[in-house]
Every structure is written in structure tokens, then in C-alpha cells.
């Protein structure tokens, strides 16, 4: 299976991706370290290294899928062109693809996480809050089904919800939309199905 994470920087998608990578198991291919490696190799930052990093990640995922391994893509995937890239890759391998978007419904918590995080990616400086807000403004609406997890909910609960969703995603889906895992206290952890067109 190809599992594609999405969400703004510091929303919590990498934490979900890494935990899923361990429990499934599946290889996690993260775009940010790839881009940082390009910079360390001397590729000018003025070049379209962001796009190139997505293409490198696609190539790595292509090889892993060819070996019959499941892959998790860890990237913002803010635009439809990026999301379509992963659907085409999955079609090429005749394998199911599932999208998981991670959001943080509390902007104060989101900002605090961003300003305190240090991922240890050599040469990759952390973004400021203004850059995250700019990406939020550029984030394109979803047109296909995906699971939405709110990182205000504890990680264990979100990973369990993701595992259940991925098990179902291997089967034909009767409808399109977004299945949303509500944060604790916002419906007692219940899940809701919302249409997104």
C-alpha cells in the first residue's frame, strides 16, 4: 500500500508517519531530508529543490513498491498536483493508495510546537509561523477521500484510527469525502464522515 501523509509544517504528520512506519511496518520516505541533502550537496537553494525532492521521493517509493513493500510518504502535499503524483504512482503498481491529512485545530498549540521543534535535519532550518500561515493560505482544497486526524488528540488514538482507516482503504470505497477523527472532548473521540466538494 502507498500511504500519503499531508498537512502543514508542525501539524504532527511526521509523528503519525513514524509511528505507523513502525507498527505496520512500512518504509517512511520524507521529503524534507531529501531537500536538505540536495542543499548539502551544493544544489543552489534558488533552484526548484522542493519539486525535485518530491520527484526523488517518488523515485525511492517507486523502487520500494516494486519490491512489494508498503511506503509512507511524509510531505506537506498542499496542492492537487502533488496528490495526483502519488495516485499515478499507486496506479502504476496496481496498489491501494490512502491519504491521511494531519491538522492541529488549536493554532496556539500548533505555533508552540513549531517554535519549539528541532528535527535535527542538517542544513534544514525550521520555518517561522508566518511561513506556515502563508502555506495555509496556499493550501488547495481536497477533491478526493482522505482521513483527517487532529493532532490535539493523543498520538496513540490517532495511530489506531489511522490503522483502522488503512485496513478499510484496501477495500473499494463506496463514497468520496473526508473521514475526520474528532479531538478528545469534541464529541468524545467519535469519528464523523464529512463531504468535501
Amino acid at each position: 500500500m502507498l500511504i500519503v501523509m499531508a498537512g502543514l509544517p508542525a501539524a504532527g504528520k511526521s509523528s503519525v508517519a513514524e509511528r505507523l512506519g513502525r507498527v505496520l511496518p512500512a518504509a517512511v520516505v520524507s521529503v524534507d531530508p531529501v531537500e536538505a541533502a540536495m542543499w548539502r550537496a551544493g544544489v543552489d537553494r534558488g533552484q526548484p529543490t522542493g519539486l525535485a525532492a518530491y520527484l526523488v521521493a517518488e523515485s525511492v517509493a517507486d523502487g520500494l513498491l516494486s519490491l512489494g513493500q508498503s511506503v509512507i510518504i511524509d510531505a506537506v502535499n498542499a496542492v492537487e498536483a502533488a496528490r495526483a503524483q502519488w495516485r499515478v504512482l499507486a496506479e502504476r503498481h496496481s496498489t491501494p493508495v490512502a491519504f491521511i491529512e494531519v491538522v492541529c485545530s488549536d493554532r496556539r498549540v500548533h505555533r508552540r510546537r513549531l517554535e519549539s521543534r528541532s528535527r535535527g535535519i542538517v542544513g534544514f532550518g525550521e520555518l517561522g509561523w508566518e511561513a506556515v500561515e502563508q502555506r495555509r493560505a496556499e493550501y488547495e482544497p481536497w477533491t478526493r477521500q482522505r482521513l483527517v486526524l487532529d493532532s490535539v488528540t493523543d498520538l496513540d488514538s490517532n495511530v489506531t484510527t489511522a490503522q483502522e482507516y488503512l485496513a478499510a482503504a484496501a477495500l473499494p470505497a463506496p463514497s468520496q469525502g473526508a473521514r475526520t477523527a474528532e479531538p478528545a472532548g469534541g464529541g468524545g473521540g467519535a469519528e464523523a464522515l464529512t463531504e468535501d466538494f
Side-chain angles (χ1 to χ4, degrees):
M1 174 175 263
L2 179 61
I3 301 156
V4 182
M5 306 301 299
L8 293 171
K13 63 188 175 296
S14 294
S15 296
V16 175
E18 289 166 8
R19 183 72 68 84
L20 282 173
R22 291 187 181 97
V23 300
L24 289 178
V28 178
V29 180
S30 183
V31 165
D32 286 351
V34 171
E35 187 172 18
M38 291 180 189
W39 295 337
R40 292 197 305 272
V43 179
D44 189 273
R45 291 183 185 229
Q47 297 298 316
T49 55
L51 172 61
Y54 272 76
L55 294 175
V56 171
E58 179 187 4
S59 181
V60 172
D62 186 44
L64 292 166
L65 290 169
S66 294
L67 296 174
Q69 297 180 24
S70 290
V71 179
I72 300 171
I73 301 296
D74 181 15
V76 173
N77 285 305
V79 298
E80 178 56 28
R83 301 163 193 163
Q85 169 187 1
W86 306 119
R87 289 194 293 269
V88 169
L89 176 61
E91 287 170 10
R92 192 183 315 148
H93 289 275
S94 301
T95 193
V97 60
F99 290 83
I100 300 175
E101 181 184 19
V102 180
V103 301
C104 183
S105 61
D106 188 326
R107 289 203 184 189
R108 290 172 300 177
V109 171
H110 190 176
R111 183 169 186 168
R112 194 161 57 243
R113 286 177 182 167
L114 177 77
E115 292 173 349
S116 64
R117 79 174 180 170
S118 178
R119 295 179 294 168
I121 304 174
V122 178
F124 198 95
E126 298 297 346
L127 294 175
W129 184 246
E130 286 146 10
V132 172
E133 290 286 36
Q134 181 180 347
R135 291 201 185 184
R136 188 191 310 276
E138 297 168 351
Y139 209 89
E140 294 183 2
W142 287 82
T143 60
R144 303 289 184 95
Q145 183 180 25
R146 88 274 189 207
L147 173 68
V148 178
L149 298 175
D150 190 334
S151 63
V152 171
T153 302
D154 68 275
L155 180 60
D156 288 341
S157 296
N158 275 336
V159 170
T160 298
T161 300
Q163 286 179 276
E164 293 168 355
Y165 177 75
L166 293 172
L171 304 172
S175 64
Q176 307 241 341
R179 179 178 166 194
T180 306
E182 300 272 335
E191 296 166 9
L193 184 67
T194 60
E195 293 300 325
D196 218 354
F197 297 98

